[in-house]
Amino acid sequence: MSSNTLNFDDIQGDILVGLPKRVQQYIIFQIGSNVAGFRQALTQLLPLITTTTQAMQNRAAIAANKKAAQEQGKTPELLKMSGVNIAFSHVGLAKMGINDNIHDDLFTNGQQADAQSLGDPGTSSGFPISHFTPSWDAAFLNQTHGVIIIAGDSDDTVASVRKQVEAIFNVGGFNATLSEVITLSGSVRPGDQKGHEHFGFMDGISQPAVQGVDTSPNPGQDTVHQGVILLKRDNDNTSLLRPSWAKDGSFLVLRYLFQLVPEFNTFLQNNPIKESSLTPEQGSELLGARLMGRWKSGAPVDIAPFQDDPELAADPLRNNNFNYTAENDNRGANCPLAAHTRKGNPRHDLQEMPLPIPLEPHRIIRRGIPFGPEVTPDEASSGKTSQSRGLIFVCYQSNLADGFTFIQKTWANQPFFPPKVLGPVPIPGFDAIIGQATDETSRTIAGTDPLNSTGTLHLPTEWVVPRGGEYYFSPSLPALRSTFALAA
Ligand code: HEM
């Protein structure tokens, strides 16, 4: 086995392949006082944990089922299927007595300590040392020890797997070894919104390919070294310092992000891009596409700048094949420099910096799921959110400073990114979707009007509101077996 051959039985399935899901629960837990009992129970959980091999088999079964149904002219029936993964916070590892330094300070300090620097709203109090408390839901202000992910084809499937998991940890019994802090329940949106997040845009289109895993990447899909996602693999530059049990694990970032959908829609309605050929509705739709970098269908504005192209959106050989180098796109003609997808993955932009800088360390694998109900007629007509909905954002990477936090802090929240050396160029502004400003009056974005690259648009509301989160570590199966779990 060469050093960069992975054993897919060793890696949890959500990281490289993703657990197939219609419904997903994130059970955020604390370990009880009987730590040995918890670690013994982990031994019983191991057979339930979905490996990468199994996740691949599940995806292959779904594809075969879909193909067979299509050949018979039928709608495929959902296959009954489930998946389980587990990850731990630093406090959780310490509670289990696993104290070796994994060499990631953000992980060790936890997300709450990082919230101010991420730009999350909150309050500071205390003198002379001021303490920042993010405006998160109470559940996330306590220290949580880990998260169990249960994915499945339906609520019933997930509920029955959950019962099995709860029985393993005696949840609800006097000798429970784990207690639930909060469960976040997500589900894929209904009908033709399947795969779309709550603002209405198709999600999950662009992911990096991982060497030795995604061996035939689609055009435009970069391949990254395994160590960008997995610890102690090629290009994990902290590899040598990490303990051996960290190998083939990955840091899981969880963010509980609320979305103000009616308010976002009202903003689009009130600020249509004014071109003589566009109706106000089309102008609003174009504005939305230019803020996101893709149309709701998923078609990239870099290739389809003025009109949606659903065929392009659905074609994996074309829908990622762009790098913001189209004519005049250096100034954001096709895609504003601060569009969400361009901030999150600037593609060729980094090659143009005064000195080219590598993009690879900043790639992440995203695995989120929407939560909450569809917008009600009352919310739509009032333009005001009254029901909680949003995205349970999850991503994997081998280094939190280079991955999620870099994208959020250094790109999304920074108006000067991506900088341009060829003028006249605008200051790109904030990522309208996730960019967080310390002072909301300063949240602007440039070049939303394709004919005016330096014109700015004020973004009055942060439509994505963080209400909690944590940095977790998703260990390999061998680590779970030999370091985390105890024989009964
Ligand atoms: C509620 C919050 C969010 C929404 C509604 C959202 C929505 C989307 C959508 C619709 C896409 C395009 C589909 C795709 O390329 O897969 C996308 C891409 C992406 N998002 Fe987000 N996102 C959110 C939060 C975040 C966060 C917190 C980050 C990281 C800090 C992030 C990073 C990315 C990246 C890296 C891409 C891929 C860009 C590319 O490769 O072209 N997103 N997002």
Side-chain angles (χ1 to χ4, degrees):
M1 225 186 239
S2 87
S3 66
N4 58 7
T5 305
L6 300 176
N7 183 342
F8 293 138
D9 294 338
D10 285 353
I11 303 164
Q12 295 201 58
D14 201 35
I15 304 169
L16 299 174
V17 176
L19 303 176
K21 58 188 185 243
R22 282 295 176 114
V23 171
Q24 186 155 276
Q25 289 191 0
Y26 295 85
I27 308 172
I28 295 176
F29 64 86
Q30 284 182 337
I31 300 168
S33 52
N34 178 3
V35 178
F38 172 82
R39 294 180 62 191
Q40 285 162 358
L42 263 187
T43 305
Q44 295 169 52
L45 184 76
L46 286 173
L48 289 191
I49 291 185
T50 311
T51 64
T52 300
T53 309
Q54 289 163 336
M56 284 171 166
Q57 286 164 353
N58 288 347
R59 290 208 174 267
I62 293 170
N65 180 52
K66 197 170 164 190
K67 189 163 172 243
Q70 272 163 357
E71 281 166 5
Q72 294 165 29
K74 294 186 192 155
T75 314
E77 278 183 26
L78 274 186
L79 295 178
K80 191 171 156 68
M81 199 172 268
S82 62
V84 176
N85 271 195
I86 190 165
F88 296 91
S89 67
H90 168 73
V91 186
L93 294 186
K95 175 103 182 167
M96 288 189 289
I98 301 169
N99 286 315
D100 321 351
N101 187 351
I102 200 166
H103 285 277
D104 191 300
D105 288 347
L106 291 163
F107 174 71
T108 305
N109 297 330
Q111 193 177 112
Q112 200 184 145
D114 200 25
Q116 186 169 21
S117 155
L118 289 168
D120 289 8
T123 47
S124 292
S125 59
F127 182 81
I129 299 170
S130 151
H131 178 76
F132 178 81
T133 308
S135 311
W136 287 0
D137 288 4
F140 290 95
L141 295 174
N142 295 317
Q143 290 184 323
T144 69
H145 295 157
V147 56
I148 296 174
I149 304 175
I150 305 179
D153 59 288
S154 66
D155 287 326
D156 284 353
T157 305
V158 169
S160 80
V161 176
R162 185 181 171 126
K163 268 201 186 131
Q164 278 176 277
V165 170
E166 287 182 342
I168 289 172
F169 295 100
N170 289 321
V171 174
F174 73 95
N175 53 356
T177 55
L178 166 161
S179 63
E180 174 197 349
V181 177
I182 187 173
T183 293
L184 307 182
S185 298
S187 58
V188 167
R189 293 186 55 214
D192 65 358
Q193 290 302 300
K194 177 177 164 233
H196 296 239
E197 49 70 43
H198 273 292
F199 292 139
F201 296 83
M202 185 55 128
D203 205 354
I205 304 169
S206 173
Q207 301 276 22
V210 176
Q211 233 170 43
V213 183
D214 311 288
T215 45
S216 46
N218 290 319
Q221 190 185 16
D222 290 344
T223 297
V224 298
H225 288 88
Q226 292 163 355
V228 172
I229 307 298
L230 299 174
L231 278 73
K232 290 181 85 69
R233 289 283 175 178
D234 280 2
N235 279 35
D236 168 12
N237 52 23
T238 323
S239 205
L240 292 175
L241 299 172
R242 314 234 208 227
S244 55
W245 54 258
K247 186 173 182 184
D248 287 344
S250 188
F251 291 112
L252 179 168
V253 171
L254 186 138
R255 296 274 286 165
Y256 191 30
L257 301 176
F258 282 52
Q259 289 175 255
L260 306 181
V261 180
E263 288 81 351
F264 178 75
N265 288 339
T266 305
F267 178 78
L268 297 185
Q269 253 168 38
N270 292 344
N271 295 279
I273 289 173
K274 294 192 176 93
E275 298 283 336
S276 53
S277 60
L278 300 178
T279 63
E281 289 73 31
Q282 289 168 330
S284 298
E285 213 188 320
L286 179 58
L287 175 63
R290 287 178 69 83
L291 296 181
M292 192 59 87
R294 290 187 185 264
W295 295 87
K296 287 188 171 169
S297 66
V301 294
D302 194 55
I303 306 179
F306 300 115
Q307 224 182 348
D308 191 6
D309 182 347
E311 272 178 35
L312 161 67
D315 183 352
L317 298 179
R318 294 195 293 145
N319 64 15
N320 253 314
N321 201 9
F322 62 95
N323 59 9
Y324 306 117
T325 51
E327 199 186 350
N328 287 332
D329 217 16
N330 187 43
R331 283 179 284 140
N334 287 11
C335 180
L337 301 173
H340 176 63
T341 57
R342 194 162 181 170
K343 286 266 198 183
N345 177 11
R347 300 184 187 226
H348 190 267
D349 286 335
L350 290 192
Q351 296 308 304
E352 288 172 18
M353 313 284 269
L355 284 178
I357 60 164
L359 175 61
E360 190 188 26
H362 310 301
R363 300 306 307 281
I364 55 177
I365 293 185
R366 291 170 299 127
R367 305 263 178 241
I369 191 162
F371 71 90
E374 294 297 293
V375 171
T376 62
D378 272 359
E379 289 180 294
S381 59
S382 68
K384 283 224 162 357
T385 296
S386 59
Q387 309 237 10
S388 302
R389 67 176 62 76
L391 183 68
I392 305 168
F393 175 88
V394 166
C395 72
Y396 292 96
Q397 60 262 277
S398 66
N399 182 316
L400 293 170
D402 284 341
F404 161 74
T405 70
F406 195 90
I407 297 176
Q408 181 71 54
K409 296 176 191 177
T410 315
W411 292 348
N413 294 358
Q414 289 304 328
F416 288 94
F417 185 82
K420 289 286 159 181
V421 280
L422 300 173
V425 285
I427 292 168
F430 286 82
D431 178 326
I433 308 301
I434 61 162
Q436 307 199 102
T438 39
D439 159 19
E440 281 204 15
T441 57
S442 70
R443 230 173 71 102
T444 57
I445 182 170
T448 48
D449 180 343
L451 298 180
N452 181 4
S453 67
T454 51
T456 57
L457 180 65
H458 179 51
L459 304 165
T461 313
E462 291 184 359
W463 298 288
V464 169
V465 183
R467 296 277 288 268
E470 185 51 287
Y471 299 142
Y472 295 108
F473 175 70
S474 177
S476 71
L477 273 293
L480 282 170
R481 233 173 266 133
S482 56
T483 307
F484 290 57
L486 287 181

